[in-house]
Amino acid sequence: MSDGTGMSGGLGGTDAERAARRDQAVRAAVEQGLLGPDAPIVGLLDVAGIRESAAALRAAFEAVTAPGTSVLHAFAVKATPLVPVLRLLDEEGIGAEVASPGELALARAAGVPPERTVLDSPAKTPQELREALALGIAVNADNPQELDRIDAIVRSAPSGSPLGIRVNPQVGGGSIEALSTATATSKFGVALRDEGAREWVVRAYLDRPWLTRLHAHTGSQGIPLTLMAEGVRETYALAEEINERAGRRQVDTLDIGGGLPVNFTSEATTPTYAEYARVLRETVPGLFDGRYGLVTEFGRSLLAKHGTVVARVEYAKSAGGRAVAVTHAGVQVATRTVYAPGAWPLRIAAYDGKGRPKEGPAVVQDVAGPACFAGDLLAVGRSLPLLEQGDYAAALDTGAYYFAHHYAYNSLARPAVHGFAADGSGGVAFAVVREAQSVEEIVAEAGGAQASALTENLPRGGRTGS
Ligand SMILES: *Cc1c(COP(=O)(O)O)cnc(C)c1O
């Protein structure tokens, strides 16, 4: 794997520029005091990079769709559930795919309009469904029981929500089982190849003229493009079958999900949206001829490469002949990497105490986090310039599913997240996206106001039962 210091041969212009912006931002964060002895960890988001990815996504689909095709790119909010990020994407023409009441609230707080919001979760309560249909948000029913609930709501009050069913094309899994949603036994959607399932889906549409969408999400990180495209082809074929049997274009929009994988091993953005769009057009040409509107739900690929966790090296030590840098970034910000390092390796970049890229011979070392268990390691046996006390270690490509997904082990505080952009005069400007969590907030969230709940607020003594 790459040493994570960027600038390798053959890097495309935008990738090299992004790496240069990141270096500048780390330096500026130290100079401006966002990082230092009393602020030992921070998340940074590259606003220009996020805008570039949004533009690349739009352009990739514009290049393959017939003129006038309606295309909604709905960002999978779970990838980076931060309101200012959703607002930024909304400004870039990207809507929101939400999967819980919390995510819906974030999208609404960001001002994402209902007509550019899609609700997809596998466990929606009746109240959530009523709210979504009252707002006119698109909903994909996960299963027959959920469709029953939607039936009841639609009967009681007509809804402007575009409604569909999520199917599992069962085309198989990728290299990460936990993120493969189109396996035979996946918990998501209606398993299309199960006995009788396809006929049930077709009948469900024929019986309900208001079902106009069809949804599938074949999986996330670790799914090859060809498998993703196969999932879309199966979904398209089902829509064609429904429409043929209905004798009209009942299904008018296909929601093809997200899941473009991210390259975590080097700076290069691969695969690109343009490549995926080309694979889709080759595999499912009919999808792009203008008969269907499209919804996409990309998450990780829009944000991952634009986020960086930077953590101060509190102590540098040696154990059993191994150099170990004890930093402030560990399981609380890189949960998947710490618990499943084989599936989720992260590049680490070394910076000196002034935030400058660290020079010097590569030394094999461990980059450890602050949590109290031995496995709290961001990287094991990694070759990097030797990290010393007061240096900074940066975990790269962490803009999605990392620092935005705090794990409260050891009551470690959620770090601040800052967006950055060029200030127009050669420097870097920062804006707070999320304040660091304070210890007072940690106490409050840990039942601080209910301190006597167990000692005074319950009857003492007496046996249970009679
Ligand atoms: C997680 C998820 C996505 C986004 O996946 P990424 O790998 O982040 O692109 C899209 N749609 C659904 C239904 C999801 O569950």
Side-chain angles (χ1 to χ4, degrees):
M1 110 176 255
S2 145
D3 66 5
T5 48
M7 318 315 277
S8 59
L11 210 53
T14 40
D15 292 332
E17 284 166 24
R18 184 180 57 241
R21 286 198 301 269
R22 182 175 62 227
D23 285 349
Q24 274 186 315
V26 171
R27 176 108 191 241
V30 174
E31 284 169 356
Q32 297 181 32
L34 304 181
L35 265 173
D38 298 323
I41 176 168
V42 76
L44 300 177
L45 283 171
D46 176 357
V47 172
I50 297 170
R51 287 191 195 276
E52 275 173 13
S53 286
L57 172 57
R58 291 194 315 263
F61 278 79
E62 275 161 22
V64 296
T65 45
T69 302
S70 147
V71 181
L72 168 64
H73 298 294
F75 174 63
V77 169
K78 76 169 183 279
T80 310
L82 296 168
V83 172
V85 169
L86 305 182
R87 170 78 56 93
L88 171 67
L89 290 171
D90 180 59
E91 193 181 283
E92 288 293 326
I94 310 283
E97 185 262 355
V98 300
S100 71
E103 289 182 359
L104 175 54
L106 297 183
R108 297 185 73 193
V112 181
E115 62 272 19
R116 292 207 280 141
T117 305
V118 179
L119 174 65
D120 268 347
S121 82
K124 308 175 195 81
T125 63
Q127 173 52 27
E128 267 182 274
L129 290 166
R130 275 194 298 273
E131 182 189 11
L133 267 64
L135 289 166
I137 286 169
V139 175
N140 292 310
D142 182 83
N143 59 65
Q145 293 175 353
E146 188 168 298
L147 193 59
D148 285 347
R149 288 179 171 179
I150 293 174
D151 276 341
I153 300 169
V154 169
R155 268 197 303 273
S156 67
S159 163
S161 291
L163 299 168
I165 294 178
R166 176 171 183 170
V167 295
N168 168 9
Q170 291 170 298
V171 291
S175 62
I176 304 176
E177 178 72 22
L179 271 64
S180 296
T181 49
T183 57
T185 56
S186 162
K187 73 172 180 179
F188 293 106
V190 177
L192 207 50
R193 294 182 184 176
D194 284 11
E195 173 120 34
R198 193 180 185 92
E199 184 57 26
W200 178 86
V201 172
V202 174
R203 281 253 54 102
Y205 278 80
L206 298 181
D207 292 345
R208 294 171 185 77
W210 40 266
L211 280 175
T212 57
R213 289 194 174 182
L214 190 60
H215 174 224
H217 167 69
T218 297
S220 293
Q221 190 71 17
I223 310 283
L225 291 194
T226 46
L227 189 64
M228 290 171 60
E230 224 181 287
V232 175
R233 181 173 59 198
E234 293 291 318
T235 313
Y236 168 81
L238 176 60
E240 292 281 280
E241 182 180 334
I242 292 167
N243 287 346
E244 194 179 311
R245 289 188 44 192
R248 66 189 185 98
R249 305 221 58 78
Q250 176 173 346
V251 176
D252 60 18
T253 300
L254 290 182
D255 180 339
I256 63 172
L260 193 74
V262 166
N263 168 20
F264 285 99
T265 64
S266 81
E267 198 63 47
T269 303
T270 58
T272 62
Y273 290 119
E275 284 168 64
Y276 181 43
R278 278 197 298 272
V279 170
L280 279 177
R281 190 175 53 182
E282 279 159 24
T283 314
V284 205
L287 185 60
F288 300 104
D289 63 14
R291 290 174 301 137
Y292 291 99
L294 293 177
V295 177
T296 74
E297 306 170 342
F298 296 101
R300 181 179 287 105
S301 54
L302 272 167
L303 259 293
K305 289 225 166 268
H306 310 304
T308 307
V309 178
V310 194
R312 192 170 161 91
V313 178
E314 196 64 51
Y315 301 110
K317 53 201 284 192
S318 168
R322 173 70 59 87
V324 181
V326 180
T327 80
H328 286 271
V331 75
Q332 88 278 30
V333 287
T335 315
R336 280 183 168 157
T337 295
V338 168
Y339 286 134
W344 299 102
L346 284 174
R347 295 185 296 147
I348 306 293
Y351 295 92
D352 70 14
K354 294 198 155 91
R356 299 172 301 202
K358 188 134 193 193
E359 311 282 344
V363 174
V364 173
Q365 55 199 301
D366 289 356
V367 182
C372 293
F373 69 99
D376 186 32
L377 300 166
L378 276 186
V380 176
R382 191 68 62 82
S383 289
L384 290 169
L386 185 66
L387 285 163
E388 296 167 290
Q389 187 172 36
D391 286 347
Y392 294 94
L396 309 185
D397 310 325
T398 48
Y401 303 100
Y402 278 97
F403 54 78
H405 290 62
H406 190 76
Y407 172 55
Y409 199 95
N410 274 146
S411 300
L412 288 159
R414 285 189 290 268
V417 176
H418 300 270
F420 67 85
D423 70 0
S425 47
V428 179
F430 291 96
V432 175
V433 169
R434 179 184 76 191
E435 298 277 7
Q437 188 183 31
S438 67
V439 290
E440 291 76 17
E441 287 168 325
I442 291 174
V443 172
E445 288 173 27
Q450 285 82 37
S452 302
L454 307 180
T455 50
E456 289 171 22
N457 299 356
L458 286 173
R460 187 184 277 262
R463 274 179 265 156
T464 56
S466 52

